[in-house]
Amino acid sequence: MTTVFIVDDQAMVRESFAALLNAQPGLAVVGQAGDGMEALASISALPTPPDVVLMDIRMPEMDGLETTRRLLEGDGEKPKVLVLTTFHLDDYVYEALRAGASGFLVKDAPSAELITAIGVIAAGDALLSPAVTKRLIANFVASTPVPRPSPARFDVLTEREREVLRLIAKGRSNPEIAADLVLSAQTVKTYVGRILAKLGLRDRAQAIVLAYETGLVSP
């Protein structure tokens, strides 16, 4: 059972999402909150963290960016965060990924896409909404001053692992990477796991951000 917590300042949106998700086999909404402060308090009170948190960006008291940072800081078991955004809030998307979110989805996406997105995030993959492309991330990395880790950080990777990381950063899925490199999907999955472990990254979203920030991939 995949557990979900919904954070949005609009009660109707929360209730709509909750009704939709609770009707799906294998999904259960374990809580809701109308702002970041309430979300942090409610999630910390749960016996175990939810698998996925649906996080709105613009909320009173504490916005989704700061809530995501605080939710994912420190040690221990952490949920995956799926940020819900709108086209006019695209400038928040990159900062959300840097804060630790595992992906983002436009708020008016079809129901089926939201359900699929939760499954993708819960499985540990990054989700880049088709409507908000990898080009957007590249543009913001190029225009936003960020600390640039030393390229030496990649010395732990083999040349093949760097090649896979470059393709991950370009938004390629495991099957697409497998086709590009003439490898099996299972082999690619193994490479991805090694890359994340060696670089100390949570998921593909963090790998994408790091690849752009360090110049491994150019916008």
Side-chain angles (χ1 to χ4, degrees), residues 123-146:
D125 289 328
L127 182 100
L128 308 182
S129 168
V132 187
T133 67
K134 61 183 180 296
R135 216 167 18 156
L136 176 66
I137 300 174
N139 289 340
F140 279 103
V141 173
S143 61
T144 305
V146 292

Side-chain angles (χ1 to χ4, degrees), residues 155-175:
D155 288 349
V156 297
L157 301 181
T158 65
E159 187 52 44
R160 175 65 91 182
E161 287 167 347
R162 291 189 190 207
E163 193 173 10
V164 171
L165 179 55
R166 291 187 186 99
L167 292 173
I168 291 172
K170 292 179 179 180
R172 308 288 279 173
S173 66
N174 282 3

Side-chain angles (χ1 to χ4, degrees), residues 13-198:
V13 171
R14 295 196 307 271
E15 292 166 6
S16 175
F17 283 157
L20 169 68
L21 300 179
N22 280 326
Q24 308 306 313
L27 293 180
V29 175
V30 294
Q32 303 178 30
D35 62 63
M37 294 295 290
E38 181 185 359
L40 293 175
S42 298
I43 291 173
S44 66
L46 293 172
T48 57
D51 296 309
V52 177
V53 174
L54 298 186
M55 184 75 72
D56 188 21
I57 287 290
R58 299 188 76 173
M59 298 180 292
E61 303 298 331
M62 182 186 294
D63 66 19
L65 296 178
E66 182 61 23
T67 305
T68 297
R69 289 189 192 99
R70 295 196 188 188
L71 183 62
L72 300 180
E73 67 184 5
D75 299 323
E77 189 178 359
K78 305 295 181 185
K80 304 290 186 180
V81 175
L82 174 60
V83 170
L84 302 176
T85 186
T86 56
F87 287 114
H88 67 281
L89 293 178
D90 282 348
D91 55 323
Y92 287 94
V93 170
Y94 172 64
E95 285 303 319
L97 291 178
R98 289 197 71 226
S102 294
F104 51 87
L105 190 71
V106 289
K107 222 170 182 180
D108 58 355
S111 299
E113 194 170 324
L114 174 62
I115 294 165
T116 298
I118 291 172
V120 169
I121 294 296
D125 289 328
L127 182 100
L128 308 182
S129 168
V132 187
T133 67
K134 61 183 180 296
R135 216 167 18 156
L136 176 66
I137 300 174
N139 289 340
F140 279 103
V141 173
S143 61
T144 305
V146 292
R148 296 179 68 86
S150 167
R153 181 170 183 181
F154 294 120
D155 288 349
V156 297
L157 301 181
T158 65
E159 187 52 44
R160 175 65 91 182
E161 287 167 347
R162 291 189 190 207
E163 193 173 10
V164 171
L165 179 55
R166 291 187 186 99
L167 292 173
I168 291 172
K170 292 179 179 180
R172 308 288 279 173
S173 66
N174 282 3
E176 290 170 336
I177 294 173
D180 289 345
L181 301 181
V182 195
L183 299 170
S184 71
Q186 183 57 47
T187 298
V188 172
K189 184 177 181 180
T190 299
Y191 275 126
V192 172
R194 287 177 184 168
I195 291 166
L196 298 181
K198 287 183 177 182

